[in-house]
Amino acid sequence: MAELHREQAQERFAVVQKQTHKSAKFGYDSIEFRSRGAGIVTIMTVSRQTIALAAVGSMGKFVCEELLSDDRFNVVVISRGVRRPPSSSCRGPQAVLFLLSHDLCDSPLLLTQRQRDPWFTSRDIPIHVSDYSSDSVLSVLEETKATALLSFLNLNDERYITIHRAFLSACLASKTCKRLMPSEYCGDVERYPDRPRFYGTTREPFRKILKAEAGDVEWTCIENGWFMDYFLPKEQSYMKPVPDEFPINLDAWTARVRGTGDEPQSWTLAREVGKAIVALCATEKEWEPITYVCGQWGTYNEAIKTMESFYDRPIPKTYTSAQEIRDYVAANLDNDQVYAVQAVMCDEWSIDGATVVPKETTLRQREKYFANCHFSTLEEVLQKAKGVKGVVVVAAGAS
């Protein structure tokens, strides 16, 4: 019989016996209801993991929706708050300095913007305010009995490492939360651990920390290549357009080809990355350190032809050579916190073939973890999105 919420079970059945079991893998309770009707004993097991999501932004919203649609999960969001300055005299530059260093202060955390965001309130998603210190995050994990912590923290400086270290420390200290998924969403990080270069100074160092210090915390990094959502109109995805990074600009209807355009690439729809994350949260199979997903392997020349064919409209193109890209990056290695430089580092990521997730490993992991997930091609996504107003909810061919 299909799993039901505990409240639904109690409303629809006269419970004559209730037994509580402990999941060996996750440590959460499953409630077994035994009801009797017409001489038949019906047994239902109602068990729900609580998944904690930190720094929910664009990608995190897809994961929230997929978790909420699955009766096996509860969702809580951990959002960074700011602290009120201790006195009204703390104004101007002092106030700015205070907010930048607020983790050291003991004053109460203020409500975050997410707590007032209709997207969260309309879905009844609990928001827990944290300063992202280990103790603060741990208190949320213990209060909610979360079994996994998923991070969507998109920072490209040393704060990424500092905060993710705190997340790991919280999981190590937690009694229930022994799974951690750091914020990644890159390409072939095993062959190209330092691409794009600002990931080489943030994500790669934390991967090494995880390998050395994770202890009893299971972890995995999700890698999907480019998000296929960037081929869609901006109103059809939570993913914000990145016209300086992605070669195709839908608003301007132009394409900037990096290198020859025949360099291999990978693309995956964010919605389907979210479905894969839910499948990983549900599985009792051991996570691998790196998990790859992909909807389509191809080149940008091929993708541009698909777009031109679908819209029956040529796309004007400009070209940036591989040498131009490499020369610019070499001249700006010390400026990797400047967005314009990071955008060209993404160009380098593409021309190096580092966006491509390894096909053999990806297909093996698809069979292992994602047998019930569908990963759409670009043509499928364009067809599904055709005529849809708002965010595309179900990808083409999804089961």
Side-chain angles (χ1 to χ4, degrees):
M1 187 170 185
E3 288 187 344
L4 299 175
H5 292 247
R6 185 181 307 181
E7 293 82 359
Q8 293 172 312
Q10 290 172 330
E11 288 175 4
R12 293 181 56 183
F13 294 89
V15 179
V16 296
Q17 184 179 2
K18 183 175 78 172
Q19 297 177 339
T20 301
H21 306 280
K22 187 71 73 174
S23 166
K25 179 71 177 180
F26 302 117
Y28 62 83
D29 290 336
S30 65
I31 310 299
E32 184 177 279
F33 292 96
R34 295 175 179 267
S35 61
R36 183 178 292 113
I40 301 174
V41 175
T42 303
I43 299 176
M44 294 185 306
T45 300
V46 183
S47 57
R48 296 166 71 86
Q49 290 188 66
T50 294
I51 308 298
L53 291 79
V56 172
S58 303
M59 180 62 222
K61 288 182 177 179
F62 286 112
V63 178
C64 277
E65 288 186 342
E66 294 304 319
L67 287 167
L68 289 170
S69 69
D70 193 317
D71 281 342
R72 295 171 293 182
F73 301 102
N74 296 316
V75 177
V76 297
V77 166
I78 304 175
S79 181
R80 187 166 192 169
V82 296
R83 297 185 187 275
R84 187 184 303 280
S87 72
S88 58
S89 62
C90 186
R91 301 179 186 277
Q94 282 186 312
V96 173
L97 179 61
F98 176 87
L99 293 176
L100 289 174
S101 61
H102 69 265
D103 289 351
L104 303 176
C105 303
D106 296 324
S107 52
L109 284 163
L110 302 179
L111 293 179
T112 69
Q113 184 176 357
R114 288 188 181 89
Q115 286 187 296
R116 299 184 292 271
D117 187 336
W119 194 93
F120 294 95
T121 58
S122 66
R123 290 164 174 79
D124 294 324
I125 298 175
I127 307 288
H128 293 258
V129 184
S130 168
D131 60 13
Y132 287 172
S133 66
S134 176
D135 288 345
S136 174
V137 174
L138 175 61
S139 69
V140 178
L141 300 181
E142 297 301 273
E143 177 186 342
T144 62
K145 294 182 171 58
T147 58
L149 174 58
L150 316 181
S151 170
F152 300 93
L153 188 74
N154 187 21
L155 293 172
N156 295 321
D157 56 34
E158 67 278 358
R159 291 174 299 166
Y160 177 92
I161 300 172
T162 301
I163 294 173
H164 277 86
R165 266 190 177 277
F167 291 168
L168 175 58
S169 295
C171 291
L172 285 167
S174 173
K175 297 181 182 67
T176 61
C177 189
K178 294 301 179 182
R179 278 181 159 179
L180 173 64
M181 194 177 292
S183 178
E184 281 261 343
Y185 311 107
C186 196
D188 188 348
V189 299
E190 293 172 293
R191 290 183 61 204
Y192 302 95
D194 61 346
R195 293 293 189 272
R197 289 179 186 260
F198 50 87
Y199 270 37
T201 56
T202 54
R203 275 64 171 177
E204 174 60 8
F206 187 66
R207 294 179 206 128
K208 291 179 178 178
I209 290 170
L210 286 169
K211 291 174 184 176
E213 303 177 17
D216 64 347
V217 175
E218 197 172 29
W219 59 276
T220 192
C221 300
I222 303 294
E223 317 297 353
N224 55 275
W226 287 100
F227 285 110
M228 200 177 285
D229 302 56
Y230 299 137
F231 288 107
L232 296 174
K234 58 189 175 185
E235 64 271 12
Q236 291 190 317
S237 176
Y238 296 129
M239 305 303 294
K240 297 178 176 63
V242 285
D244 293 328
E245 301 173 31
F246 196 67
I248 298 174
N249 185 327
L250 263 67
D251 287 341
W253 195 248
T254 58
R256 183 171 62 86
V257 179
R258 295 95 171 259
T260 65
D262 290 326
E263 295 84 0
Q265 310 291 323
S266 293
W267 306 284
T268 316
L269 191 68
R271 170 77 61 187
E272 293 171 349
V273 176
K275 290 179 183 292
I277 289 173
V278 172
L280 285 172
C281 290
T283 187
E284 295 204 8
K285 296 176 182 177
E286 185 177 354
W287 285 359
E288 298 180 25
I290 307 297
T291 304
Y292 296 105
V293 293
C294 182
Q296 182 171 330
W297 288 271
T299 70
Y300 272 112
N301 284 339
E302 293 169 346
I304 289 169
K305 288 180 180 178
T306 298
M307 295 288 285
E308 290 178 326
S309 174
F310 182 81
Y311 287 101
D312 193 24
R313 180 184 175 192
I315 301 177
K317 306 169 193 64
T318 58
Y319 294 83
T320 304
S321 72
Q323 192 60 51
E324 288 178 278
I325 293 167
R326 297 191 200 285
D327 288 347
Y328 183 91
V329 170
N332 288 276
L333 290 176
D334 294 333
N335 298 318
D336 65 351
Q337 293 306 304
V338 177
Y339 177 68
V341 176
Q342 292 181 348
V344 182
M345 288 178 172
C346 286
D347 293 351
E348 181 188 40
W349 180 53
S350 282
I351 63 172
D352 283 349
T355 71
V356 184
V357 297
K359 196 165 189 177
E360 183 177 349
T361 303
T362 303
L363 295 179
R364 176 185 61 78
Q365 291 179 331
R366 184 179 296 182
E367 182 178 350
K368 178 179 180 180
Y369 296 118
F370 311 124
N372 295 322
C373 296
H374 177 80
F375 296 97
S376 301
T377 65
L378 175 56
E379 180 69 30
E380 285 180 303
V381 169
L382 293 174
Q383 289 290 347
K384 180 64 182 179
K386 188 176 182 180
V388 173
K389 293 182 179 180
V391 176
V392 178
V393 175
V394 181
S399 55

